[in-house]
């Protein structure tokens, strides 16, 4: 799967913090220099021999990359044979190649000039090309649209380059409508559509019409990987819009719909996870939908994540009712353990009577219920401290590790 695999352990006791990926802002000159140093270290056929021979070879070198016809013309006495060959970057790229490229490339020449550099398959060169393309696009929506047009039919390596360049451009937030249209274009293969849809996660917000279309697509059984990527994008934009403007309900509504109607278990799990990870409070309607999901969902993993998400409920008393009701009908021990501990996370000490009823229904919970009682009686009220004070975080062998 792309960027984030849907593989996961059983639902954690408290919300997973957002996975932080380092954002390394590298100045263009530094990137070029790093690439040059890395590539120069590989050596070149011209590095051997006498110094005067190297100087002569350097004088005879033609500028790397495609150039206008006048630039390569040498007149009647010029090297006709050299002019007959197509100009291209050497397989061992050198500083001069990158320097010429950096100084002379335009958006119009970028694709042709970048192709031989990209063929070197050096990650530093690739990162430099992405950064340079981002600079060339800048804030210009028209240039960003042109690069998206290139990406429609590009090779896989070029596709990654073009999308990386767009990601580095200030015009990216203006491209939500085009990225959505390309991602939903049935004439394109699903892998390429997933690549377009993946960039939507970086949008500051999604318009209602686009959100409707994306949610419908994510539920489609044929959406595959692209549906998973779309669900993640909706969740991440919800986090951004919630933080910036407090708006989250349209996104949460779509995630709950995806979580109950998608045919793909991984997509349903992710929808519940994204709804929970934004720390968005659940109103009564959202709570009832989660309660229904707990009662009808076939996947134990999805039910555990739904129990986790329910802990964000605004109405604590109603949430406790839903925990108790679903514990009584639940058959899976690990899902019961999720309902039990997340009841405590939801309402703290007030959850003890419901947890006592759970322990009466299933005697296996009597010991761990007594531990919760002792900790609350000692004056601890913070759930994190309660959790880490338990003699074991995995009394039933349901968790892969003690997660935060």
């Amino acid at each position: 799967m792309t960027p984030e695999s849907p593989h996961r352990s059983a639902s954690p006791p408290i919300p997973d913090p957002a996975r932080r990926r380092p954002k390394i802002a590298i100045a263009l000159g530094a990137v070029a220099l790093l690439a040059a140093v890395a590539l120069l270290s590989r050596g070149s056929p011209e590095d051997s021999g006498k110094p005067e021979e190297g100087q002569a070879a350097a004088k005879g070198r033609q500028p790397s990359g495609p150039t206008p016809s006048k630039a390569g013309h040498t007149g009647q006495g010029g090297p006709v044979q050299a002019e007959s060959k197509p100009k291209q970057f050497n397989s061992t790229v050198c500083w001069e190649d990158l320097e010429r490229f950096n100084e002379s490339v335009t958006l119009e020449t970028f694709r042709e000039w970048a192709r031989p550099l990209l063929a070197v398959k050096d990650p530093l060169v690739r990162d430099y090309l992405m950064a340079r393309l981002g600079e060339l696009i800048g804030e210009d929506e028209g240039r960003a649209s042109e690069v998206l047009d290139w990406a429609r039919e590009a090779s896989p390596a070029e596709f990654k380059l073009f999308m990386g360049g767009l990601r580095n451009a200030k015009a990216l937030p203006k491209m939500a409508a085009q990225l959505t249209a390309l991602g939903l274009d049935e004439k394109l293969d699903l892998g390429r559509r997933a690549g377009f849809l993946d960039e939507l996660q970086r949008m500051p917000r999604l318009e209602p019409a686009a959100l409707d279309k994306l949610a419908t697509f994510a539920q489609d059984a044929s959406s595959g990987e692209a549906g998973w990527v779309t669900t993640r994008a909706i969740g991440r934009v919800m986090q951004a819009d919630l933080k910036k403007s407090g708006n989250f309900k349209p996104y949460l509504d779509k995630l709950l719909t995806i979580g109950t109607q998608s045919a793909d278990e991984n997509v349903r799990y992710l929808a519940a996870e994204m709804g929970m990870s934004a720390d968005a409070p659940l109103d009564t309607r959202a709570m009832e939908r989660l309660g229904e999901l707990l009662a009808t969902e076939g996947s134990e993993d999805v039910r555990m994540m739904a129990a986790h998400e329910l802990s964000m409920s605004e109405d604590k008393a109603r949430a406790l009712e839903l925990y108790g009701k679903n514990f009584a009908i639940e058959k899976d021990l690990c899902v019961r353990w999720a309902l039990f501990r997340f009841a405590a996370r939801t309402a703290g000490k007030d959850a003890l009577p419901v947890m006592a009823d759970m322990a009466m229904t299933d005697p296996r919970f009597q010991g761990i219920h007594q531990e919760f009682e002792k900790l609350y009686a000692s004056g601890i009220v913070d759930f994190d401290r309660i959790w880490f004070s338990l003699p074991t975080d995995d009394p039933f062998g349901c968790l892969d590790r003690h997660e935060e």
Side-chain angles (χ1 to χ4, degrees), residues 4-6 8 19 227-233 235 255 258-259 264-277 302 305:
E4 288 181 13
S5 171
R8 70 283 172 191
R19 299 179 177 89
W228 191 89
V229 167
T230 301
T231 303
R232 182 180 61 180
L255 288 172
I258 295 169
D264 188 323
E265 177 186 336
N266 289 324
V267 172
R268 296 197 307 276
Y269 182 94
L270 181 65
E273 183 180 37
M274 297 308 297
M276 175 274 300
S277 62
V302 177
M305 183 52 69

Side-chain angles (χ1 to χ4, degrees), residues 8-186:
R8 70 283 172 191
S9 62
S11 59
I14 53 179
D16 293 335
R19 299 179 177 89
R20 303 172 184 266
R21 289 187 174 84
K23 298 179 180 178
I24 307 175
I26 306 175
L28 178 59
V31 176
L33 180 59
L34 284 171
V37 171
L39 292 163
L40 278 171
S41 67
R42 299 174 185 161
S44 170
E46 296 169 1
D47 290 342
S48 60
K50 299 179 181 179
E52 55 270 23
E53 292 174 347
Q55 293 173 1
K59 291 180 181 179
R61 275 202 302 263
Q62 295 296 322
S64 298
T67 56
S69 58
K70 290 184 179 180
H73 183 66
T74 58
Q76 294 181 351
V80 177
Q81 184 176 0
E83 280 298 310
S84 64
K85 296 180 179 179
K87 296 180 179 65
Q88 60 183 9
F89 291 98
N90 295 326
S91 59
T92 303
V93 185
C94 64
W95 163 252
E96 288 81 2
D97 290 327
L98 291 172
E99 187 175 40
R100 291 189 195 100
F101 183 96
N102 185 51
E103 292 176 352
S104 304
V105 72
T106 65
L107 190 67
E108 290 69 29
T109 60
F110 180 89
R111 189 173 187 181
E112 183 182 3
W113 287 24
R115 190 172 291 120
L117 284 172
L118 189 62
V120 176
K121 298 182 179 180
D122 188 295
L124 287 173
V125 173
R126 180 202 59 209
D127 291 347
Y128 159 73
L129 292 172
M130 289 180 179
R132 190 70 181 96
L133 179 56
E135 290 184 342
L136 292 172
I137 296 171
E139 299 181 17
D140 193 313
E141 188 174 348
R143 292 186 172 191
S145 295
E146 184 175 352
V147 173
L148 282 177
D149 285 340
W150 296 348
R152 288 180 62 95
E153 306 295 337
S155 67
E158 284 187 315
F159 182 85
K160 291 179 182 179
L161 169 60
F162 299 152
M163 300 310 293
L166 181 63
R167 194 176 308 134
N168 285 320
K170 293 182 178 180
L172 178 62
K174 305 174 185 178
M175 307 310 296
Q178 283 188 254
L179 287 167
T180 300
L182 288 167
L184 300 180
D185 188 347
E186 295 181 357

